[in-house]
Amino acid sequence: MRISNEITERIKQAADIVEVVGDFVSLKKRGSNYTACCPFHNEKSPSFNVNPVRQIYKCFGCGAAGDSIKFVMDIEGISYGEALRHLAQKYNIEVEEEQQTPEEVLRQNERDSLYIVLNFAQKYYQNLLMEHEEGQSIGLSYFRNRGFNDPTIKSFGLGYSLTDWDGLTKEAAKKGYNPELLEKAGLALHKEADPQSNRATRYYDRFRGRVIFPIHNVSGKVIAFGARILSADKSQPKYINSPETDVYHKSKILYGIYQAKNAIRQEDVCYLVEGYTDVISLHQAGIQNVAASSGTSLTEEQIKLIARFTNNITILYDGDAAGIKAALRGLDMVLEEGLNVSLVTLPDGEDPDSYVYKVGAEGFKKHVQQATKDFITFKTEMLLKDAGDNPFKRAEAINEIVTSITKISDPIKRQIFFKRTADLMKMDEQTLISEGNKHLRRREDKAAEKPAQSKPKDRFRERPQEPADIHFSDNFIEEEFGILVEDSVPNSVPDVAPRHEPPTDLFKQRLYFQEQAFVKLLILHGQTELETGISLCRYLLHEIGEISFENQLFDLVLNIFRQRFGLGEIPSTDYFLSHIDPDIQRFSIDLCTSKHHLSENWEKHDIVVPTDEELLHEIAFKKILRLKMAYSATKMKDLLNQMGKITGNSDEEFAQIMEVQRQYKFYKNINDLAAKELGTVVPGY
């Protein structure tokens, strides 16, 4: 299936990079750009930069770069075509495509197929809830008793599964979905075939006679389901969940994060609860910055997911002993990630769902405001209460609290918590600090004792030693040469950085940098007119003739300009910034993105710095001369090496020497003339 060029261009024009990235990461304005902690690698200081003028992003830490489409591809791990469809849906752009047959579905990337069948299942379950007699009498009655209204049911995609063994499986078969695909999506199970009884392999539904809670990823795609039984059958578990699949990893997702992400950003805090109904009830009550860990301890991946939108977590758990213990498990990990974590206990016997139903939204918010305590204070008070006057238990409590404080990377925050803990425990602050320093030293010593291991390669910084042939993606071929190719399926992780590292040979290195500078001029200023009717592109291409560049990536860009110029057009900077080939796109973004900018104070003090545009004619002239010098010097070196291998003992070899000498003089003349124009002293060869 293919999206037309016209629709693709509409999607590109509509997709605002700040809005698209902002769906996944909390951006902060800095000057004319936006910054955030990079979602593609672990960092605590923001190095991820979004440029709304150029409509690009770049991380100065790991090298991730691209436009809106590339960002969606990398953050979701999906293909180019699927990223276009995602953005089309976001911006309400109708994508005209033919209805897919079951065979076409199977030919798609398996991840895409899983999303399709999971979306089908969600609609099937919700239709049963709202339209089927069994769904209305059992499932809908349950949700109504919980106080859920129709907008809430629709927002969370709630549904119901019939008690039939194979209701979903049969309906899916009618629509052409393969039963093996249902099983891969976690929707079906199977019993093996029995040759003795001539019984074929039988597929049946995983979820039967249960209310259904779809689980969405950050972008809103259904990736799994949770299901609650409503009967009193004690032989069945109360809740069952989808198994791990290619698109669902329980430790990496939070229930309700899709519905909550904007509110989390606005409120600058994420309320964390345990269950599905806790999330839904609070959301309906107007407290929408809430997500659930689904009864598991927080994982590192879940913490990083929250950190995309806020640095503040407030945990709302049941007020009983089990709830409190659950609240404390793994929270040191949150501190290590640099987030601020607080806790709120609810009255005994209450959970967020029941309590907000009892006291209403305002009463709930008031309780949260009054009962919120930072993690260290909460833990200190709880452990001291549990220890009582027992000196041994108090010593254990102190040690445990000090350990938690040392997990905090910010020394100022550590100092504040040492002081507060000392006041609560009525003991000397310096004693706690000294004990904390011992913990930190032991941790450093332990880390130093580990055998030295090579650091894992950063997928954005990894470079091949020798540039292999540049791979032309299907989309690149289609865009550049008009050959229709089906949507390609890029890797689910961001691509390795472009193959344009400078070579080690000094002569080739000089040539590399001159080729790079030349291509930079073309990309950034190719359309600029030096004088009426004479564009920079025309001037540069005319001056270098038909030479090819040594670096394959630079030569590829050069040939794009030649081809397009021959068709009467000059590619713009934006054309390369959103180019379908990842190497070209990232290289272009590197050219347009800088860590540093001139201070506004320069303008205030009338310090004028001429721009490249103002000096373009002079810059272009010098770049051509330097390129000719580097190109001819490389050729001269190669010719000298070639001459050294010819003995001249035969007439044929003598003729070869004469030809090499002729070529050498030709390039030497070019080199000398360029050097004379530049006023450069050329060393002898």
Side-chain angles (χ1 to χ4, degrees):
M1 303 302 292
R2 180 179 181 271
I3 300 173
S4 69
N5 291 336
E6 181 184 351
I7 297 296
T8 298
E9 194 57 37
R10 280 184 61 197
I11 294 169
K12 287 181 177 180
Q13 292 296 324
D16 179 74
I17 189 71
V18 176
E19 292 178 355
V20 173
V21 175
D23 281 345
F24 299 87
V25 180
S26 186
L27 295 170
K28 293 184 178 178
K29 202 165 191 321
R30 181 173 295 174
S32 59
N33 294 339
Y34 293 80
T35 63
C37 286
C38 180
F40 299 120
H41 82 288
N42 189 21
E43 66 174 5
K44 295 177 181 177
S45 299
S47 59
F48 187 82
N49 185 278
V50 175
N51 185 324
V53 176
R54 292 288 192 184
Q55 287 291 299
I56 56 176
Y57 69 90
K58 178 175 175 60
C59 177
F60 293 103
C62 68
D67 58 1
S68 295
I69 298 171
K70 186 70 166 63
F71 182 84
V72 173
M73 288 170 63
D74 291 343
I75 200 76
E76 291 283 16
I78 58 179
S79 69
Y80 179 81
E82 190 62 21
L84 283 175
R85 294 179 185 94
H86 170 93
L87 292 171
Q89 184 178 14
K90 175 178 174 63
Y91 289 98
N92 298 315
I93 297 173
E94 187 175 349
V95 177
E96 295 181 2
E97 293 183 297
E98 297 175 2
Q99 181 65 36
Q100 290 178 301
T101 65
E103 290 76 17
E104 287 174 327
V105 171
L106 288 176
R107 284 202 301 268
Q108 280 194 10
N109 175 269
E110 188 169 289
R111 288 171 62 89
D112 296 344
S113 300
L114 290 176
Y115 287 130
I116 292 169
V117 76
L118 286 163
N119 184 62
F120 159 77
Q122 185 273 319
K123 293 184 183 301
Y124 169 77
Y125 290 137
Q126 186 160 71
N127 184 64
L128 290 178
L129 178 75
M130 305 304 291
E131 305 295 337
H132 195 279
E133 183 179 350
E134 181 183 327
Q136 290 177 333
S137 61
I138 300 176
L140 192 58
S141 295
Y142 169 77
F143 288 134
R144 292 283 187 250
N145 290 335
R146 303 300 297 236
F148 299 163
N149 57 33
D150 284 351
T152 297
I153 290 172
K154 184 177 181 181
S155 175
F156 285 88
L158 306 180
Y160 178 77
S161 59
L162 300 176
T163 53
D164 297 348
W165 275 88
D166 54 2
L168 172 68
T169 306
K170 284 182 177 177
E171 188 64 26
K174 291 179 185 177
K175 300 295 184 182
Y177 294 107
N178 192 299
E180 286 86 357
L181 180 62
L182 293 178
E183 188 168 25
K184 288 179 180 178
L187 296 167
L189 302 165
H190 80 276
K191 286 187 177 180
E192 294 289 349
D194 185 356
Q196 294 181 351
S197 62
N198 293 323
R199 189 181 67 194
T201 300
R202 180 190 171 198
Y203 288 87
Y204 59 96
D205 297 352
R206 178 181 293 274
F207 308 115
R208 302 182 305 279
R210 294 171 179 268
V211 286
I212 300 294
F213 299 88
I215 299 169
H216 301 80
N217 65 10
V218 180
S219 64
K221 287 187 174 68
V222 177
I223 56 174
F225 297 94
R228 186 190 193 280
I229 197 167
L230 300 181
S231 69
D233 186 357
K234 293 188 178 180
S235 66
Q236 295 291 325
K238 185 176 179 180
Y239 280 95
I240 59 174
N241 299 296
S242 294
E244 297 269 313
T245 67
D246 285 349
V247 298
Y248 174 57
H249 304 283
K250 189 174 184 179
S251 64
K252 296 182 179 180
I253 197 67
L254 292 164
Y255 179 75
I257 191 67
Y258 167 65
Q259 291 85 356
K261 60 185 181 182
N262 289 332
I264 291 172
R265 236 191 318 252
Q266 292 165 6
E267 301 293 334
D268 197 23
V269 62
C270 176
Y271 291 143
L272 200 64
V273 297
E274 282 189 281
Y276 304 132
T277 55
D278 293 330
V279 171
I280 299 169
S281 293
L282 290 176
H283 194 278
Q284 183 169 282
I287 304 168
Q288 298 184 349
N289 52 322
V290 56
S293 57
S294 302
T296 63
S297 298
L298 269 180
T299 65
E300 185 177 342
E301 291 90 348
Q302 289 170 337
I303 295 166
K304 289 176 179 176
L305 179 57
I306 295 172
R308 289 191 198 174
F309 307 105
T310 182
N311 285 325
N312 303 301
I313 299 177
T314 297
I315 299 178
L316 310 173
Y317 277 145
D318 304 353
D320 58 14
I324 293 173
K325 288 181 181 178
L328 294 179
R329 282 199 301 268
L331 290 189
D332 284 355
M333 195 187 304
V334 183
L335 300 178
E336 285 182 295
E337 291 297 323
L339 274 67
N340 307 312
V341 58
S342 302
L343 295 98
V344 173
T345 54
L346 301 176
D348 287 344
E350 301 286 359
D351 57 30
D353 176 27
S354 65
Y355 194 58
V356 75
Y357 187 80
K358 179 185 290 186
V359 302
E362 293 306 315
F364 191 93
K365 290 177 182 178
K366 184 177 180 181
H367 176 80
V368 169
Q369 187 177 9
Q370 294 174 345
T372 298
K373 294 180 181 178
D374 67 78
F375 172 51
I376 299 297
T377 301
F378 181 92
K379 188 172 184 177
T380 302
E381 291 178 350
M382 192 205 76
L383 292 180
L384 285 179
K385 182 179 178 181
D386 187 53
D389 295 329
N390 186 314
F392 297 104
K393 285 188 175 182
R394 285 182 68 86
E396 289 176 5
I398 292 169
N399 186 61
E400 190 172 338
I401 293 161
V402 168
T403 301
S404 291
I405 295 175
T406 59
K407 300 288 186 181
I408 301 170
S409 58
D410 188 333
I412 296 176
K413 287 183 182 178
R414 282 206 305 266
Q415 180 68 37
I416 291 170
F417 282 118
F418 276 131
K419 179 172 177 53
R420 184 178 299 174
T421 303
D423 293 340
L424 288 170
M425 292 186 161
K426 297 181 174 56
M427 62 182 299
D428 179 45
E429 178 185 345
Q430 190 57 47
T431 302
L432 294 179
I433 294 173
S434 299
E435 190 63 26
N437 289 336
K438 290 178 185 177
H439 279 272
L440 292 171
R441 281 195 295 273
R442 280 198 293 269
R443 202 176 300 156
E444 291 173 0
D445 292 343
K446 194 172 182 180
E449 288 173 3
K450 290 182 180 180
Q453 296 179 347
S454 59
K455 292 184 179 180
K457 290 181 179 179
D458 189 317
R459 63 190 180 204
F460 292 104
R461 294 185 179 278
E462 186 176 343
R463 302 288 197 274
Q465 292 299 315
E466 293 294 335
D469 290 341
I470 287 186
H471 169 69
F472 294 93
S473 70
D474 291 342
N475 290 306
F476 172 77
I477 294 170
E478 181 178 322
E479 181 170 326
E480 287 303 327
F481 303 107
I483 301 172
L484 179 60
V485 184
E486 289 186 0
D487 282 348
S488 64
V489 184
N491 294 330
S492 60
V493 296
D495 304 271
V496 176
R499 298 176 179 135
H500 59 83
E501 287 291 276
T504 54
D505 179 87
L506 181 60
F507 282 85
K508 291 186 181 296
Q509 197 176 93
R510 287 172 57 197
L511 179 59
Y512 165 89
F513 285 118
Q514 295 309 321
E515 289 179 351
Q516 183 188 59
F518 189 91
V519 169
K520 179 178 180 179
L521 274 180
L522 280 173
I523 291 176
L524 297 184
H525 307 291
Q527 293 184 326
T528 303
E529 286 200 344
L530 298 178
E531 54 186 83
T532 305
I534 306 295
S535 66
L536 179 69
C537 175
R538 178 179 177 179
Y539 172 61
L540 292 177
L541 294 182
H542 176 268
E543 287 296 320
I544 64 169
E546 297 300 318
I547 70 169
S548 297
F549 281 172
E550 187 83 11
N551 181 276
Q552 293 185 20
L553 182 64
F554 302 157
D555 195 53
L556 181 59
V557 174
L558 176 62
N559 284 317
I560 289 173
F561 273 99
R562 281 174 171 156
Q563 180 198 34
R564 297 283 169 164
F565 186 74
L567 296 173
E569 59 183 87
I570 301 172
S572 66
T573 305
D574 289 341
Y575 168 82
F576 288 98
L577 292 176
S578 60
H579 203 280
I580 205 103
D581 185 278
D583 282 357
I584 292 175
Q585 184 188 55
R586 188 177 291 119
F587 170 65
S588 304
I589 290 171
D590 287 344
L591 297 181
C592 295
T593 313
S594 174
K595 272 187 178 182
H596 310 291
H597 303 277
L598 290 177
S599 169
E600 295 177 355
N601 292 327
W602 287 48
E603 187 175 343
K604 290 179 183 178
H605 296 287
D606 295 325
I607 302 175
V608 179
V609 180
T611 64
D612 283 354
E613 289 84 352
E614 294 170 330
L615 303 174
L616 199 53
H617 200 292
E618 180 183 350
I619 291 172
F621 178 67
K622 289 184 176 180
K623 291 297 182 194
I624 290 168
L625 294 175
R626 291 193 177 104
L627 175 64
K628 288 182 176 180
M629 283 187 67
Y631 181 80
S632 58
T634 303
K635 290 291 186 182
M636 289 159 64
K637 177 176 177 290
D638 291 342
L639 289 168
L640 287 175
N641 290 336
Q642 185 179 340
M643 191 179 298
K645 296 176 183 178
I646 304 173
T647 60
N649 293 332
S650 65
D651 291 343
E652 182 180 350
E653 288 187 338
F654 180 77
Q656 288 178 3
I657 291 176
M658 296 300 293
E659 174 59 22
V660 169
Q661 287 179 342
R662 186 192 67 77
Q663 291 183 36
Y664 183 88
K665 289 178 181 178
F666 172 78
Y667 288 116
K668 181 74 166 63
N669 185 51
I670 292 175
N671 194 275
D672 290 346
L673 289 173
K676 184 177 180 181
E677 290 285 351
L678 286 169
T680 305
V681 177
V682 182
Y685 291 94

